Amino acid sequence: MSTKNKILDAADVLFADKGFNGTSLREITSQANVNLAAVNYHFGSKKELIKAVMSRYMDELSPQLESALALICQAERKPSLQEVFYAFIEPLLKLNEFKENGTSTFLQLLGRGYTDSQGFLRWFLTTQYPDVFTNFTKAVKKAYPELSTEEMFWRLHFTMGTIVFTMSSSEALIDIAQNDFNNQLDIAGVIERVIPYVAAGVAAPITHYN
Amino acid sequence: MSTKNKILDAADVLFADKGFNGTSLREITSQANVNLAAVNYHFGSKKELIKAVMSRYMDELSPQLESALALICQAERKPSLQEVFYAFIEPLLKLNEFKENGTSTFLQLLGRGYTDSQGFLRWFLTTQYPDVFTNFTKAVKKAYPELSTEEMFWRLHFTMGTIVFTMSSSEALIDIAQNDFNNQLDIAGVIERVIPYVAAGVAAPITHYN
DNA sequence: CGCTATTTTAAACGGGTGTTTAAACTGGCT
DNA sequence: AGCCAGTTTAAACACCCGTTTAAAATAGCG
């Protein structure tokens, strides 16, 4: 395997686990059995490495996501919110074929991107992959047209938060569930439980504020 | 004002803003106009300072939270989920009297605690303030008794995630809402919008898994 | 083979980190 | 006044960070 890919493979696991700030290049390169300077040689800087790690996932995910959402947008029938969210799930779970534990790793990385590094990664994603956001918004609007654009903006970010945060601590939560309820879940199991939650949240009745 | 409090005041703003790992003791002490060594003199270590910052909020919050939830648990009438959540809101918003921007700062700190430092802070909170969690669980169980304990465990953690994550990025979200919708919100406004969402999420119909 | 371009390597660079030290200062006490 | 516990201070400590350098190794090609 190429040095570049060895670095990427080691980096995304460590980044997901300990955050971008919390992971040093020396940890990454020693995990990857690669010289320290290789990161700067192949990627230029740590910041560029972070972008490369995210891009590898987004480039895999974003076309599938767009086509799945396009299918919903072009259909005549009005979709349910659950359908819209499940359009997300399938491409997300396919990341497990792309890379071992790809789904949870990617979602954890997404969570890190929101809180670490003061949002430069959110900027990177929204500018590099804007279609994902607009298509998702369109699909939700079709499923729940009464919802104002602003209210939808908030509820989608709440949803983003729920998913991303859940995945960031999914390992700990799965451990607790195993101990307390003797119920062994995997990532797909957690997703199964979070979908009804977020769907109901987005579908919540409209309240009027003063 | 005492050196100890100057440090705490500077620390919690910086910690909330840039995370625990992302904030250096030198930033804190220069912001507080205090000598660098004062942190280790008064608190022992950075880790202990983090605990002290969180304890200051939790000691203020936890008694009020417990009595508000106890009121619900002891009442004869079955409460609604919205009521249970609003029992949280009032004590949380009172943190603004305790300290300027206390509510959002505390919630941001809570979010940092989940993702930074690999969950040592979650351990600290759940072991130091266990009553908050058990009382909350009791109140929800009273409002929605059909929900199994395990399902409730998951939905409460989803809720935790939604709140905490939303608050971590609340400044950025409020900025976007201002630009895109000409709607200037504060923290209370964001909370007003998130409550119906999480209440509907927790109240989602029960699904059966294979 | 021999030359060139690419890649890998060890070492060092400058700077930031949390923590510790020991000396200086402070205010209250007899 | 002298003393002393409590506090503040400047300086240094050892260590880790991301990045750069220049030499060594490797691979590709005429």
Side-chain angles (χ1 to χ4, degrees):
Chain A
M1 189 189 309
S2 72
T3 300
K4 223 170 164 172
N5 277 329
K6 281 201 273 186
I7 294 175
L8 285 173
D9 283 347
D12 72 357
V13 172
L14 287 169
F15 280 153
D17 216 44
K18 318 170 64 167
F20 301 116
N21 295 336
T23 305
S24 70
L25 295 185
R26 282 169 177 81
E27 288 180 83
I28 295 171
T29 51
S30 81
Q31 181 87 41
N33 275 316
V34 146
N35 187 274
L36 166 63
V39 172
N40 285 281
Y41 176 76
H42 285 286
F43 297 95
S45 69
K46 186 179 180 180
K47 211 166 209 172
E48 290 299 320
L49 171 62
I50 296 175
K51 287 191 196 172
V53 166
M54 295 307 292
S55 294
R56 198 167 55 144
Y57 280 105
M58 287 300 284
D59 292 340
E60 178 75 15
L61 188 66
S62 122
Q64 300 191 45
L65 225 47
E66 280 174 43
S67 67
L69 289 171
L71 218 72
I72 292 183
C73 289
Q74 284 153 16
E76 277 197 31
R77 196 172 49 81
K78 176 179 177 176
S80 76
L81 277 172
Q82 294 242 3
E83 277 180 87
V84 175
F85 284 107
Y86 272 110
F88 256 79
I89 300 316
E90 202 181 349
L92 274 176
L93 288 179
K94 262 197 190 152
L95 290 179
N96 279 331
E97 303 166 18
F98 172 62
K99 195 174 181 305
E100 199 178 311
N101 292 119
T103 306
S104 72
T105 304
F106 170 70
L107 287 172
Q108 287 178 45
L109 287 171
L110 212 57
R112 298 296 184 180
Y114 261 73
T115 49
D116 279 17
S117 60
Q118 280 147 316
F120 109 87
L121 209 110
R122 175 173 40 207
W123 166 86
F124 171 70
L125 291 177
T126 50
T127 55
Q128 294 298 304
Y129 306 92
D131 294 354
V132 174
F133 293 86
T134 55
N135 280 344
F136 187 40
T137 306
K138 267 190 207 165
V140 172
K141 204 162 191 67
K142 192 173 181 187
Y144 192 178
E146 302 86 3
L147 206 63
S148 73
T149 310
E150 186 189 352
E151 195 70 45
M152 193 168 70
F153 160 83
W154 284 105
R155 293 187 180 182
L156 290 190
H157 275 282
F158 298 154
T159 301
M160 192 85 164
T162 311
I163 304 275
V164 148
F165 185 92
T166 300
M167 293 307 141
S168 300
S169 42
S170 62
E171 287 175 36
L173 294 180
I174 287 176
D175 277 359
I176 298 174
Q178 165 116 31
N179 285 334
D180 291 8
F181 310 111
N182 262 342
N183 194 348
Q184 178 144 22
L185 294 177
D186 54 3
I187 286 292
V190 177
I191 291 180
E192 254 185 349
R193 278 159 180 77
V194 81
I195 293 279
Y197 181 93
V198 295
V202 173
I206 298 159
T207 45
H208 297 284
Y209 315 100
N210 10 348
Chain B
M1 188 190 308
S2 71
T3 301
K4 222 170 164 173
N5 278 330
K6 281 201 274 185
I7 293 175
L8 286 172
D9 284 347
D12 73 356
V13 172
L14 286 170
F15 280 153
D17 216 43
K18 317 169 65 166
F20 301 115
N21 294 334
T23 306
S24 71
L25 295 185
R26 283 167 177 82
E27 286 181 85
I28 295 171
T29 52
S30 81
Q31 181 87 39
N33 275 317
V34 147
N35 186 274
L36 166 62
V39 172
N40 286 281
Y41 176 75
H42 285 285
F43 297 95
S45 69
K46 186 180 180 180
K47 211 167 207 171
E48 290 298 320
L49 171 62
I50 296 175
K51 287 191 196 172
V53 166
M54 294 307 291
S55 293
R56 197 167 56 145
Y57 280 105
M58 287 301 284
D59 292 341
E60 178 75 15
L61 188 66
S62 124
Q64 300 192 46
L65 225 46
E66 279 174 41
S67 67
L69 290 172
L71 219 73
I72 291 183
C73 290
Q74 284 153 16
E76 278 197 31
R77 195 172 50 80
K78 175 179 176 175
S80 74
L81 276 171
Q82 294 243 0
E83 276 180 88
V84 175
F85 284 106
Y86 272 110
F88 256 79
I89 301 317
E90 203 180 348
L92 274 176
L93 288 178
K94 261 195 191 153
L95 290 179
N96 279 330
E97 303 164 18
F98 173 62
K99 194 173 182 306
E100 200 178 309
N101 293 120
T103 306
S104 73
T105 304
F106 170 70
L107 287 172
Q108 285 177 48
L109 286 171
L110 213 55
R112 298 295 186 181
Y114 260 74
T115 50
D116 278 17
S117 59
Q118 281 149 312
F120 109 89
L121 209 111
R122 174 174 42 204
W123 166 87
F124 172 70
L125 291 176
T126 50
T127 55
Q128 294 298 305
Y129 305 92
D131 294 355
V132 174
F133 292 87
T134 56
N135 280 342
F136 187 39
T137 306
K138 267 190 207 164
V140 171
K141 202 159 193 66
K142 192 173 180 184
Y144 192 177
E146 302 85 3
L147 205 62
S148 73
T149 310
E150 186 190 352
E151 194 71 43
M152 193 170 66
F153 160 83
W154 284 105
R155 293 187 181 179
L156 290 190
H157 274 282
F158 297 155
T159 302
M160 192 84 164
T162 311
I163 305 276
V164 148
F165 185 93
T166 300
M167 293 307 143
S168 300
S169 42
S170 62
E171 287 176 35
L173 294 181
I174 287 175
D175 277 0
I176 298 174
Q178 166 115 31
N179 286 334
D180 292 8
F181 310 110
N182 262 341
N183 194 349
Q184 179 143 23
L185 293 178
D186 54 4
I187 286 290
V190 178
I191 291 180
E192 255 185 346
R193 280 161 178 77
V194 81
I195 292 279
Y197 180 93
V198 294
V202 174
I206 298 161
T207 44
H208 297 284
Y209 314 102
N210 11 349

